[in-house]
Amino acid sequence: MRTEEQIFQLMDEDELSLTLINAQYDLRKTQGQKNGKSLIVLVNGIELAGKGEAVKQLREWVDPRYLQVKADQPQVLGEKQTFWQPYTRFIPAQGQIMVLFGNWYSDLLRTTMQTGAIDDAQFDAYLEDMRVFEQDLKNNYVDVVKVWFDLPWKVLQKRLDQIDPSEMQWHKLHGLDWRDKKKYDTVQRLRERFTKDEDWLIIDGEDEKRRDQQFAQHILQSLKHCPNHPVRAKGQWKQAKIPELLQHPSQELAKTEDYKAELKKLSPQVAKALRSDPRNVILLFEGMDAAGKGGAIKRIVKKLDPREYEIQTIGAPEKYELNRPYLWRFWNKLQTDDDICIFDRSWYGRVLVERVEGFASPAEWQRAYDEINRFEQGLINHQTVIIKFWLAISKEEQAARFKAREDTPHKRFKITDEDWRNRERWDDYLKAAADMFERTSTEQAPWHIIATDDKNTARVEILKTILKQLQAD
């Protein structure tokens, strides 16, 4: 926690404005650059402490076109939604500044104060998850600025006495009665649990001019000294052993009549299990090109209504997606309303194609394993089932399937020169997959390796695995 009282001095407003605008445009110059930066400002505090006024004044001192502000009433944290999911759409792109009035800290305070469902241990667990999430943002060049506007109890009561009654409806932050001293004290006790960290700035809202300048100067310093946070995995990188299954997939072929009978039995069972599960379900497919991901997905959804699921086909990121943390485009594709979400390729591209092709630096893909594990664990903790498949075939079988695609008119769109080129990196992809299995196969979200050159066998095994994991969880 910092107050900056000792070093703070008022600046000439014109000078402050000019310096802010120059720093703002320096930040904008990083847009589109490798490792371009952005700034997210989390505004919290006591009601009537001047949060809105400080942000309003900041917007007058900077170029307002490039300062985005989102202000929502605090929400109650949901059982089926992580604390960060309501806000991922507002994570700023490179060169941008985003101010969030409503954010995960205000949601945590409201939930704790209103519902009583969060005890001290759970409160601290949320705080730790929030700190880790923010560090992941910083590692992806989104700097996080956290500010608490404070106000003594007596000053708050005087301001409440002076406020126009018609405006009282706007001052229900955390759903509290700010005339209640006990509730005020509880808010102060709770916020001290997180603002004790040095990365929080505490601003006294009693002196309005000083308050506005202190906030603006803090933003200025953050713009001037927007740091590089990226870290890499600790210790020397050690390549995982490649599983035997990946190197020698099964060559055994299933009998057609057995396959049809199994498919007829399993398809409705899988549809029923997916449909009736009260949790969000994510089915995730990775694997070598032409390994059968599309065919497997087609059999999974055969007995489902199209309104019951979403299929996300993941390719190379768009330019606007490259301007944000790499998980951002996946955060915004997740369902939170009991739907089934199927990913044909996924966030694992960071440790697969981006690693192999050099689109991500070693520091980026090496730290991505832990980022992905935290991302998935957060979803699992909020009633989401994640079922992950790696489809493996032999190199010879892949070549045969590529040739068959070229010779089949309605499948030619599935094969490109890029697919043939990727075969040259076959061994590199096996190594990347091996590292991925070792570092991201967890007890609650294990990898299921389906290694066979027979499409029918693969499809049956996938259906059986879905049923097994849904029942196990």
Side-chain angles (χ1 to χ4, degrees), residues 27-90:
L27 181 72
R28 282 189 58 76
K29 290 176 184 178
T30 71
Q31 190 172 28
Q33 296 180 2
K34 179 68 174 174
N35 307 331
K37 299 172 184 177
S38 63
L39 195 68
I40 185 168
V41 184
L42 306 181
V43 173
N44 296 275
I46 298 297
E47 194 61 7
L48 298 182
K51 301 179 294 296
E53 291 82 352
V55 173
K56 180 176 181 294
Q57 181 59 71
L58 176 66
R59 212 168 196 177
E60 292 178 7
W61 282 332
V62 301
D63 188 328
R65 296 173 299 172
Y66 306 125
L67 178 68
Q68 299 175 295
V69 178
K70 177 171 173 54
D72 285 333
Q73 286 292 323
Q75 308 173 45
V76 173
L77 295 169
E79 293 182 356
K80 299 188 69 172
Q81 192 175 38
T82 65
F83 69 83
W84 46 261
Q85 279 179 277
Y87 302 103
T88 53
R89 289 181 298 145
F90 309 106

Side-chain angles (χ1 to χ4, degrees), residues 242-251 392-394 430 451-453:
I242 298 174
E244 186 67 19
L245 280 172
L246 265 62
Q247 301 185 73
H248 303 288
S250 171
Q251 307 295 311
I393 55 176
S394 66
L430 289 185
T452 174
D453 282 350

Side-chain angles (χ1 to χ4, degrees), residues 199-319:
D199 55 354
W200 276 90
L201 172 67
I202 308 299
I203 296 179
D204 187 340
E206 194 167 355
D207 184 327
E208 296 179 6
K209 184 174 183 179
R210 185 179 182 85
R211 172 200 68 203
D212 294 349
Q213 280 228 7
Q214 194 173 353
F215 178 61
Q217 289 190 38
H218 186 61
I219 300 302
L220 175 61
Q221 291 305 310
S222 299
L223 289 170
K224 281 185 171 182
H225 305 290
C226 202
N228 286 318
H229 292 279
V231 295
R232 63 186 302 154
K234 295 180 180 179
Q236 188 173 2
W237 187 258
K238 184 178 180 181
Q239 173 65 49
K241 182 179 179 181
I242 298 174
E244 186 67 19
L245 280 172
L246 265 62
Q247 301 185 73
H248 303 288
S250 171
Q251 307 295 311
E252 186 176 348
L253 301 178
K255 294 182 179 179
T256 301
E257 56 271 24
D258 292 341
Y259 164 67
K260 290 182 177 179
E262 286 284 288
L263 196 64
K264 185 176 181 180
K265 178 182 71 174
L266 291 170
S267 291
Q269 290 180 0
V270 168
K272 181 180 179 180
L274 290 170
R275 182 181 294 121
S276 61
D277 199 296
R279 300 163 295 182
N280 299 318
V281 180
I282 293 175
L283 303 175
L284 182 155
F285 289 86
E286 294 284 357
M288 292 301 196
D289 293 332
K293 295 181 293 296
I297 292 170
K298 186 175 180 180
R299 273 67 186 181
I300 291 169
V301 303
K302 183 176 178 63
K303 296 295 184 179
L304 289 170
D305 187 291
R307 293 168 293 186
E308 295 180 291
Y309 63 89
E310 295 281 346
I311 299 177
Q312 304 289 352
T313 303
I314 305 302
E318 300 291 342
K319 183 177 181 180

Side-chain angles (χ1 to χ4, degrees), residues 113 153 177 179-188:
M113 293 293 297
W153 167 256
D177 177 3
R179 294 289 194 184
D180 188 327
K181 181 65 161 58
K182 184 177 180 180
K183 290 184 178 179
Y184 170 89
D185 290 341
T186 301
V187 169
Q188 291 286 24

Side-chain angles (χ1 to χ4, degrees), residues 34-158:
K34 179 68 174 174
N35 307 331
K37 299 172 184 177
S38 63
L39 195 68
I40 185 168
V41 184
L42 306 181
V43 173
N44 296 275
I46 298 297
E47 194 61 7
L48 298 182
K51 301 179 294 296
E53 291 82 352
V55 173
K56 180 176 181 294
Q57 181 59 71
L58 176 66
R59 212 168 196 177
E60 292 178 7
W61 282 332
V62 301
D63 188 328
R65 296 173 299 172
Y66 306 125
L67 178 68
Q68 299 175 295
V69 178
K70 177 171 173 54
D72 285 333
Q73 286 292 323
Q75 308 173 45
V76 173
L77 295 169
E79 293 182 356
K80 299 188 69 172
Q81 192 175 38
T82 65
F83 69 83
W84 46 261
Q85 279 179 277
Y87 302 103
T88 53
R89 289 181 298 145
F90 309 106
I91 300 299
Q94 292 175 349
Q96 294 182 350
I97 307 170
M98 171 63 79
V99 177
L100 292 182
F101 275 99
N103 53 69
W104 39 90
Y105 289 101
S106 53
D107 290 351
L108 178 59
L109 284 174
R110 176 167 186 173
T111 305
T112 305
M113 293 293 297
Q114 278 197 341
T115 69
I118 297 179
D119 60 25
D120 285 354
Q122 292 169 319
F123 190 91
D124 288 341
Y126 266 111
L127 290 182
E128 181 58 28
D129 287 345
M130 290 172 182
R131 293 186 190 105
V132 172
F133 175 71
E134 290 160 10
Q135 187 59 51
D136 284 342
L137 288 178
K138 293 175 183 180
N139 291 344
N140 285 273
Y141 304 98
V142 180
D143 208 32
V144 182
V145 175
K146 299 183 286 189
V147 182
W148 179 272
F149 287 82
D150 206 29
L151 201 63
W153 167 256
K154 290 183 179 180
V155 178
L156 170 61
Q157 298 313 299
K158 288 181 181 179

